[in-house]
Amino acid sequence: MNYKIAVVPGDGIGPEVIDQALRVLDRIGEKYNHNFEYTKVLAGGAAIDATGGCLPQETIDICKASDAVLLGAVGGWKWDTLPGDERPERALLGLRKELGLFANLRPAILFDELSEACPLKPEITAGGLDIVVVRELTGGIYFGEKGFKDTDLGPAAYDVEQYAEEEVRRIAIVAFDMAMKRNKKVTSVDKANVLESSRLWRRVVAEVAKDYPEVELNNLYVDNTAMQMILNPKQFDVIVTSNIFGDILSDEASQITGSIGMLPSASLAQGNFGMYEPVHGSAPDIAGQNKANPMATILSAAMMLRYTFGLSNEADAIEAAVKKVLADGYRTPDLMANGGKEMGTKEAGDLILAAL
Amino acid sequence: MNYKIAVVPGDGIGPEVIDQALRVLDRIGEKYNHNFEYTKVLAGGAAIDATGGCLPQETIDICKASDAVLLGAVGGWKWDTLPGDERPERALLGLRKELGLFANLRPAILFDELSEACPLKPEITAGGLDIVVVRELTGGIYFGEKGFKDTDLGPAAYDVEQYAEEEVRRIAIVAFDMAMKRNKKVTSVDKANVLESSRLWRRVVAEVAKDYPEVELNNLYVDNTAMQMILNPKQFDVIVTSNIFGDILSDEASQITGSIGMLPSASLAQGNFGMYEPVHGSAPDIAGQNKANPMATILSAAMMLRYTFGLSNEADAIEAAVKKVLADGYRTPDLMANGGKEMGTKEAGDLILAAL
Ligand SMILES: [Mg+2]
Ligand SMILES: [Mg+2]
């Protein structure tokens, strides 16, 4: 089959890690008889340099006309002096909005082979961790009304956390669907003891849960979740939560894996459309030196195969190849704290291709 | 000198741990020639049983007429069937409001003697941890306008995060004053890249910082802070933040110490008035069995001496006595995971008195 992928190499190490991901996709295409058709587009600093704006209309159009988007990373020192709303990172917000990406999926996986890098004691993580945080991405306080007002206490600023039932319902469905393909366990995180929007959240999640009688639903407060993530992270499988709580908890969860250079992410729209990108940034300090770890981008490509194209065997094959390379003792520089056989960006691609 | 203390034993293990704290205060009084005058008052479940309401007016009046409040714990299964706004825990919100307690101080200390209980690997916490989270307690989204509205997306619920400059200023002053007595380092936590209220927060904190030229100020985003707390908690000394972020981060910080039964807290008003209580709850399952760890309450009493009464030598003496008992190998049941000589609630009090 033919799959159309808009590819955004972006800035810093973005182009290098994307190159390796495309090599892996090509090999998958040969092996399983698919045709992946790439259209490279500009976004972020690269787009600013070429066109003056971080997200050209052409990029948006090509992304919309594709089946999925694969993105490297955007941003860098070079554009740090620009005002906030002209910076490369704005391209991500723009893409989320234009493409209707309302669900952010952040798997936090502790690879057995990298467990020395985990900051938690081994007895807490024994047997590995495999959590996915499903974060609502286009609603809540980050996009609510904001401004200034005069109050009894003098000048004040405000931001509104707001959720419509429909926004909660669609993200809850993403989480429960995912749970059905995993361990049938959803933890919904809110602050329903104090927030009205959280009480609505909890009520709608409970309604959605009725359509998934096999899935176990737990409700936890956000402060308790921040603790449980450290105390007993193995209790979690799928976590679903609001934009701001998901922002905090997905970062906390990624940190307990100890290897942020390994973590992929997906941002999904209604239907199967999605944008896939590594969690790490553009790391301009090591750009162009064959030092970047391409595995998070390669694993993002695997997520694309699984979630947008429904190709789970192919996704499994990529994930197994990455694990094989780690098990064989190869490490990119970011993973060398506990030793290993060092590999560069391109060599990582070579080894994963060989393992496929 | 004479110090008037309103004492709220509360529910569950509250009365037992309070008893030991009062014994310790009495000994300090003898030794340093102070007179601590206690008035016991009702709040929480005990107040519901006796008067029908969780916070009698008499309790409020006596607290207001005192120099400080020392509280055990409130709540328990017995009252779990009451509607939310009649539960024992409401007494805490009521006391905060009535007493004007706008600053919550939560020290997160990793005692060397208990470092086996810490969930983080030893190399991360080597040398110990001593963080204090200063959380704004009476403003922000927990107390902002909330309700329901109809939107383009259908029925929605909302909560308003709002901060007046004055609210930020007074909590920032608490944090910087504290930093001057500690390591002259403040980390202010916000989400200024997206929230207007956070931008106001950051601006006012920077203004306050000008009055403390010796103090180093860092600004961190809340999601990054949740990561750094695990990756490198030793970078933190005083953290100052909003009500909701402080709720999440103080719980995360307490968890990395591994010994929540050891953690005291203070809630301060303008001036020196404060309410002091352990972080742990009322633990009805072990109430009345001489199993509760009274050390968090005893350390809360030490905080009271330090912050409300300005008696730092006396506070130091209590903290040193608690450490001595731990160093001698004594552990309450909650701390026995890695062995030790078991002590009950009363024996813990005996040993701390002996060490004074
Ligand atoms: Mg984040
Ligand atoms: Mg809390």
Side-chain angles (χ1 to χ4, degrees):
Chain A
M1 226 182 110
N2 198 52
Y3 299 100
K4 291 169 80 170
I5 304 170
V7 176
V8 187
D11 309 316
I13 59 171
E16 297 163 71
V17 295
I18 282 287
D19 279 350
Q20 301 311 317
L22 299 188
R23 289 177 71 202
V24 170
L25 282 174
D26 285 338
R27 175 65 53 92
I28 289 285
E30 285 165 28
K31 215 177 143 181
Y32 294 84
N33 219 352
H34 307 301
N35 184 37
F36 299 112
E37 188 188 324
Y38 314 118
T39 311
K40 290 205 179 174
V41 292
L42 292 173
I48 294 172
D49 289 351
T51 72
C54 68
L55 184 60
Q57 186 61 42
E58 192 192 6
T59 295
I60 296 169
D61 294 341
I62 291 173
C63 288
K64 282 185 177 170
S66 303
D67 301 311
V69 181
L70 183 66
L71 185 143
V74 297
W77 311 311
K78 189 178 165 187
W79 306 279
D80 268 359
T81 51
L82 291 174
D85 56 352
E86 291 175 25
R87 294 224 189 136
E89 294 80 3
R90 280 282 148 158
L92 297 177
L93 287 180
L95 282 169
R96 286 177 194 171
K97 186 157 176 266
E98 293 286 345
L99 304 174
L101 306 171
F102 68 90
N104 184 233
L105 271 50
R106 288 266 301 262
I109 297 169
L110 177 61
F111 291 88
D112 269 354
E113 296 78 11
L114 299 175
S115 58
E116 330 93 29
C118 174
L120 298 177
K121 286 186 175 161
E123 58 269 32
I124 297 175
T125 55
L129 289 175
D130 184 357
I131 301 170
V132 59
V133 179
V134 178
R135 167 186 170 192
E136 202 288 329
L137 201 57
T138 53
I141 197 165
Y142 291 176
F143 295 94
E145 192 202 328
K146 55 195 73 225
F148 302 92
K149 63 167 76 159
D150 274 316
T151 68
D152 296 348
L153 297 165
Y158 69 93
D159 300 87
V160 181
E161 167 84 348
Q162 181 172 309
Y163 272 107
E165 294 177 7
E166 207 36 52
E167 289 175 293
V168 180
R169 187 167 292 116
R170 65 182 185 179
I171 190 81
I173 289 169
V174 170
F176 279 89
D177 281 346
M178 180 146 306
M180 285 300 289
K181 293 179 200 153
R182 294 171 49 106
N183 295 314
K184 300 185 177 167
K185 191 172 173 192
V186 169
T187 304
S188 174
V189 176
D190 60 39
K191 189 71 184 176
N193 49 344
V194 274
L195 300 182
E196 204 63 73
S197 52
S198 281
R199 285 189 280 267
L200 179 145
W201 180 282
R202 191 175 281 215
R203 174 168 56 76
V204 175
V205 169
E207 284 166 21
V208 171
K210 286 185 193 147
D211 295 333
Y212 300 83
E214 293 173 60
V215 177
E216 177 195 341
L217 167 64
N218 291 299
N219 295 290
L220 270 192
Y221 296 139
V222 61
D223 49 335
N224 191 17
T225 310
M227 291 206 281
Q228 297 295 328
M229 193 75 82
I230 296 170
L231 188 66
N232 179 19
K234 284 194 285 186
Q235 73 186 281
F236 296 117
D237 195 76
V238 175
I239 291 175
V240 61
T241 191
S242 66
N243 202 339
I244 186 168
F245 294 160
D247 189 11
I248 299 169
L249 294 175
S250 64
D251 281 340
E252 186 184 352
S254 69
Q255 203 54 62
I256 63 171
T257 69
S259 307
I260 210 160
M262 294 299 299
L263 300 179
S265 81
S267 300
L268 305 179
Q270 216 69 262
N272 292 321
F273 188 88
M275 181 165 92
Y276 299 84
E277 60 183 310
V279 165
H280 64 68
S282 62
D285 51 323
I286 57 162
Q289 298 172 39
N290 198 41
K291 286 183 180 167
N293 178 351
M295 291 185 274
T297 310
I298 291 167
L299 292 170
S300 299
M303 285 187 87
M304 177 175 71
L305 299 184
R306 188 185 304 282
Y307 293 116
T308 291
F309 303 149
L311 303 173
S312 14
N313 291 337
E314 290 82 340
D316 289 346
I318 294 177
E319 289 164 2
V322 168
K323 280 187 194 172
K324 168 92 169 55
V325 170
L326 294 174
D328 288 346
Y330 294 100
R331 301 283 184 271
T332 41
D334 57 309
L335 304 176
M336 287 291 291
N338 297 84
K341 294 179 266 186
E342 191 163 321
M343 60 180 177
T345 310
K346 192 182 160 299
E347 291 70 37
D350 294 342
L351 287 161
I352 290 165
L353 286 184
L356 267 172
Chain B
M1 225 182 114
N2 197 53
Y3 299 99
K4 290 168 82 169
I5 305 169
V7 176
V8 187
D11 308 317
I13 60 172
E16 295 163 72
V17 295
I18 282 287
D19 279 349
Q20 301 310 316
L22 298 188
R23 288 177 70 201
V24 170
L25 283 173
D26 284 338
R27 176 64 54 92
I28 290 285
E30 283 165 31
K31 214 175 144 183
Y32 293 84
N33 219 352
H34 306 301
N35 183 37
F36 299 113
E37 188 189 321
Y38 314 118
T39 311
K40 289 203 179 172
V41 291
L42 292 172
I48 294 173
D49 288 351
T51 72
C54 70
L55 184 58
Q57 185 60 43
E58 191 192 5
T59 295
I60 297 169
D61 293 341
I62 290 172
C63 287
K64 282 186 178 171
S66 304
D67 300 310
V69 180
L70 184 65
L71 185 143
V74 296
W77 311 310
K78 189 177 166 187
W79 306 278
D80 269 358
T81 50
L82 293 173
D85 57 352
E86 292 177 23
R87 291 220 193 143
E89 294 80 3
R90 280 284 150 156
L92 297 177
L93 288 180
L95 283 168
R96 286 177 193 169
K97 187 157 173 267
E98 293 285 346
L99 304 174
L101 306 171
F102 68 90
N104 185 231
L105 271 52
R106 288 265 302 261
I109 297 170
L110 177 62
F111 292 89
D112 268 354
E113 297 76 11
L114 299 175
S115 58
E116 330 94 29
C118 174
L120 297 177
K121 285 185 176 162
E123 56 270 32
I124 298 176
T125 56
L129 290 175
D130 185 357
I131 301 169
V132 58
V133 179
V134 178
R135 167 186 170 192
E136 203 287 329
L137 200 56
T138 53
I141 197 166
Y142 291 176
F143 294 93
E145 193 202 327
K146 54 194 74 226
F148 301 92
K149 62 168 77 161
D150 273 316
T151 69
D152 295 349
L153 296 164
Y158 70 93
D159 300 88
V160 181
E161 168 84 349
Q162 181 173 308
Y163 272 107
E165 293 177 8
E166 206 36 52
E167 289 176 293
V168 180
R169 187 167 293 117
R170 65 182 185 178
I171 190 81
I173 289 171
V174 170
F176 279 89
D177 282 345
M178 181 148 304
M180 284 300 289
K181 294 180 199 154
R182 294 171 49 105
N183 296 314
K184 300 184 177 167
K185 190 170 174 194
V186 168
T187 304
S188 175
V189 176
D190 60 39
K191 189 72 185 175
N193 49 344
V194 274
L195 301 182
E196 205 62 73
S197 51
S198 281
R199 285 188 279 266
L200 178 145
W201 180 282
R202 192 175 280 214
R203 175 169 55 76
V204 174
V205 169
E207 284 167 21
V208 171
K210 285 186 196 148
D211 295 332
Y212 300 82
E214 293 171 62
V215 177
E216 177 194 341
L217 168 65
N218 291 299
N219 295 290
L220 271 192
Y221 297 139
V222 61
D223 49 336
N224 191 16
T225 310
M227 291 206 282
Q228 296 295 329
M229 193 74 82
I230 296 170
L231 189 65
N232 179 18
K234 284 194 284 188
Q235 74 186 282
F236 296 117
D237 195 75
V238 175
I239 292 176
V240 61
T241 190
S242 67
N243 201 341
I244 186 168
F245 294 161
D247 189 11
I248 298 168
L249 294 174
S250 64
D251 280 340
E252 186 184 353
S254 69
Q255 203 56 60
I256 62 171
T257 69
S259 307
I260 210 162
M262 294 299 298
L263 300 179
S265 80
S267 299
L268 305 179
Q270 215 69 263
N272 292 320
F273 188 87
M275 182 165 91
Y276 299 85
E277 59 182 310
V279 165
H280 63 67
S282 62
D285 51 322
I286 57 161
Q289 298 173 38
N290 198 41
K291 286 182 181 167
N293 179 351
M295 290 185 275
T297 310
I298 291 167
L299 293 169
S300 298
M303 287 187 86
M304 177 175 71
L305 299 184
R306 188 185 306 281
Y307 293 116
T308 290
F309 303 150
L311 304 173
S312 14
N313 290 338
E314 290 82 341
D316 289 345
I318 294 177
E319 288 164 2
V322 168
K323 280 189 193 167
K324 168 89 168 56
V325 169
L326 293 175
D328 289 347
Y330 294 101
R331 301 284 184 271
T332 41
D334 58 307
L335 304 175
M336 288 290 292
N338 296 83
K341 293 178 267 186
E342 191 164 319
M343 59 180 177
T345 311
K346 190 180 162 299
E347 291 69 39
D350 294 342
L351 287 161
I352 291 166
L353 286 184
L356 267 172

